[in-house]
């Protein structure tokens, strides 16, 4: 029998051998559609099947559905951590990045991933407020563990990896208050923040309300994740709350824009203005580096993968679980 080569898989999938290699090694960006085409070609050609070898289609494949946000490294950080944890568990991810992770895309992508006999499904970035009856039934009856990581919507009844975003917002605000800042600007995300933003703002307000003499504060709402929104927020804040000395942002991307504005104004960070971000994705790389609420990406990924690993033992009765993790404030 002729041995199937990498070039045979590439020809069947209509892509280059380099693309096939990236998919098989999960190294480098490949779109979800192309990734699925490659795996389909692997299955149809029998690539990798030999004496004593299992067919790649029977490897422990895990479907991953993530939101694609070019200016927000949150989901890239989740993806990187998941890849590392899945590799430790001898599992292979099929990762699909979507412009929107909602009921429609979850339904479509889940059906495609089930065709590849994935042994688990991880979803992060869900945008809709509720799961439709159709999608809830699809996920409940698909026969594999489904894990929601952050941005949870109403995913009760499924495995969930939760981070206490209220706690994160509180820690950042508490620090600014304790440092003596009497005028604080909070750069918020608006209605499309997938619930995490509202919890972070809730934590900020909790710290404010605890004070007998609360500081003055201003909430500036942004309507996109673009870093320019952070710039705009501070520019407007200078007129609305002149003399502010503390800034807390919904995510690190807004910090980038905020630092650009402060640089133009000749204000030094943290000497003149103290800035705190959230997610700790950009904050350590900025000049100067700024404090940020750090999410436990490695723990989140490990918990999600552990759920899927545990479900591989068919002799054990399985229960849906929720894992709650704490963020940490990293001061720089």
């Amino acid at each position: 029998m002729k041995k199937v080569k990498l070039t045979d898989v590439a020809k069947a999938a209509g892509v280059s051998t380099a693309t096939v290699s990236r998919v098989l090694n999960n190294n480098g960006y490949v779109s979800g559609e192309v990734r699925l085409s490659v795996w389909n070609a692997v299955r149809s050609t029998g690539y990798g099947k030999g004496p004593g070898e299992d067919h790649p289609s029977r490897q422990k494949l895990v479907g991953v559905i993530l939101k694609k946000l070019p200016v927000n490294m949150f989901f890239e950080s989740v993806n990187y951590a998941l890849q590392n944890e899945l590799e430790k568990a001898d599992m292979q991810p099929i990762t699909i990045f979507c412009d929107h992770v909602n009921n429609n895309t979850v339904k479509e992508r889940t059906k495609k991933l089930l065709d590849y006999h994935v042994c688990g499904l991880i979803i992060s970035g869900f945008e809709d407020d509720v799961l439709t009856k159709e999608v809830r039934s699809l996920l409940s009856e698909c026969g594999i563990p489904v894990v929601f990581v952050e941005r949870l919507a109403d995913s009760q009844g499924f495995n969930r990896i939760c981070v206490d975003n209220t706690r994160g917002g509180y820690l950042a605000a508490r620090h600014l208050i304790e440092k003596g800042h009497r005028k604080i600007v909070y750069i918020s995300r608006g209605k499309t923040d997938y619930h995490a933003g509202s919890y972070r703002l809730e934590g900020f307000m909790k710290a404010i309300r605890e004070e007998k003499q609360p500081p003055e504060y201003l909430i500036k709402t942004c309507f996109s994740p673009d870093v320019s929104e952070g710039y705009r927020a501070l520019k407007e804040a200078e007129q609305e709350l002149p003399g502010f000395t503390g800034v807390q942002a919904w995510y690190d991307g807004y910090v980038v824009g905020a630092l650009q504005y402060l640089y133009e104004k000749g204000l030094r960070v943290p000497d003149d203005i103290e800035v705190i971000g959230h997610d700790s994705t950009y904050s350590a790389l900025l000049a100067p580096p700024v404090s940020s609420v750090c999410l436990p990406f490695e723990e989140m990924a490990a918990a999600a993968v552990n759920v899927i690993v545990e479900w591989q033992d068919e002799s054990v009765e399985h229960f849906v679980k929720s894992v709650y993790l704490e963020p940490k404030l990293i001061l720089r």
Side-chain angles (χ1 to χ4, degrees):
M1 180 178 178
K2 179 183 177 182
K3 182 178 180 180
V4 179
K5 300 179 180 179
L6 201 69
T7 51
D8 299 318
V9 178
K11 182 177 180 180
V15 299
S16 67
T17 55
T19 297
V20 174
S21 179
R22 283 199 296 272
V23 171
L24 296 181
N25 294 295
N26 202 37
N27 180 23
Y29 175 75
V30 179
S31 72
E33 296 297 328
V34 172
R35 191 177 294 273
L36 289 175
S37 295
V38 170
W39 279 112
N40 188 45
V42 168
R43 296 170 62 191
S44 64
T45 60
Y47 177 76
K49 188 176 183 182
E53 296 180 23
D54 196 10
H55 192 287
S57 66
R58 299 192 186 98
Q59 291 177 357
K60 294 180 179 178
L61 303 176
V62 175
V64 180
I65 301 174
L66 298 175
K67 184 170 176 61
K68 179 172 63 178
L69 276 175
V71 297
N72 188 342
M73 292 298 293
F74 176 88
F75 297 107
E76 285 290 351
S77 299
V78 171
N79 183 46
Y80 181 77
L82 284 173
Q83 287 188 31
N84 287 339
E85 292 301 324
L86 287 168
E87 183 178 351
K88 292 178 186 177
D90 195 26
M91 292 180 171
Q92 175 74 32
I94 301 180
T95 305
I96 302 178
F97 279 96
C98 307
D99 290 326
H100 297 283
V101 179
N102 51 33
N103 281 290
N104 287 334
T105 56
V106 167
K107 179 180 70 175
E108 294 170 0
R109 301 305 191 269
T110 296
K111 288 180 178 179
K112 286 187 177 182
L113 289 167
L114 290 175
D115 287 340
Y116 291 86
H117 308 292
V118 294
C119 65
L121 179 63
I122 299 172
I123 302 170
S124 185
F126 193 80
E127 302 172 32
D128 289 341
D129 290 332
V130 298
L131 291 168
T132 63
K133 182 178 180 181
E134 181 183 11
V135 172
R136 184 174 284 276
S137 296
L138 172 65
L139 297 178
S140 299
E141 299 169 6
C142 66
I144 60 174
V146 176
V147 187
F148 282 84
V149 179
E150 268 281 81
R151 301 345 190 234
L152 304 172
D154 69 333
S155 54
Q156 292 85 356
F158 297 98
N159 301 286
R160 304 191 303 162
I161 311 302
C162 318
V163 176
D164 191 343
N165 281 291
T166 303
R167 176 68 175 168
Y170 175 84
L171 289 174
R174 184 78 256 152
H175 171 78
L176 290 174
I177 293 170
E178 291 177 354
K179 288 292 293 292
H181 296 285
R182 302 305 301 165
K183 292 186 177 183
I184 303 172
V185 176
Y186 184 89
I187 306 178
S188 186
R189 174 63 175 94
K191 293 183 178 180
T192 55
D193 60 4
Y194 326 120
H195 304 283
S198 60
Y199 291 131
R200 294 175 185 185
L201 177 56
E202 179 182 309
F204 172 82
M205 292 305 304
K206 179 176 184 290
I208 295 292
R209 289 193 296 265
E210 284 182 350
E211 294 298 298
K212 292 182 179 180
Q213 295 182 322
E216 293 183 64
Y217 66 92
L218 174 67
I219 298 173
K220 293 298 299 179
T221 301
C222 299
F223 300 99
S224 85
D226 195 273
V227 298
S228 64
E229 285 287 272
Y231 182 100
R232 177 192 62 81
L234 279 203
K235 184 176 182 179
E236 294 178 1
E238 191 174 40
Q239 301 299 318
E240 299 173 38
L241 188 65
F244 66 84
T245 60
V247 175
Q248 182 174 334
W250 171 74
Y251 93 113
D252 277 4
Y254 291 154
V255 172
V256 176
L259 289 187
Q260 290 173 349
Y261 178 74
L262 295 174
Y263 175 78
E264 289 182 6
K265 298 294 293 184
L267 295 170
R268 297 171 299 169
V269 176
D271 297 335
D272 300 318
I273 308 287
E274 185 167 8
V275 180
I276 299 181
H278 210 119
D279 293 343
S280 199
T281 49
Y282 293 116
S283 52
L285 307 175
L286 301 174
V290 300
S291 301
S292 187
V293 176
C294 182
L295 300 191
F297 291 109
E298 293 79 11
E299 294 177 51
M300 293 157 61
V305 173
N306 187 57
V307 168
I308 296 173
V309 170
E310 289 179 350
W311 275 68
Q312 305 312 300
D313 187 350
E314 298 179 358
S315 65
V316 178
E317 185 175 1
H318 302 293
F319 299 93
V320 169
K321 64 170 61 176
S322 294
V323 178
Y324 295 89
L325 300 172
E326 290 283 322
K328 296 179 180 179
L329 176 60
I330 305 297
L331 300 176
R332 299 183 177 93

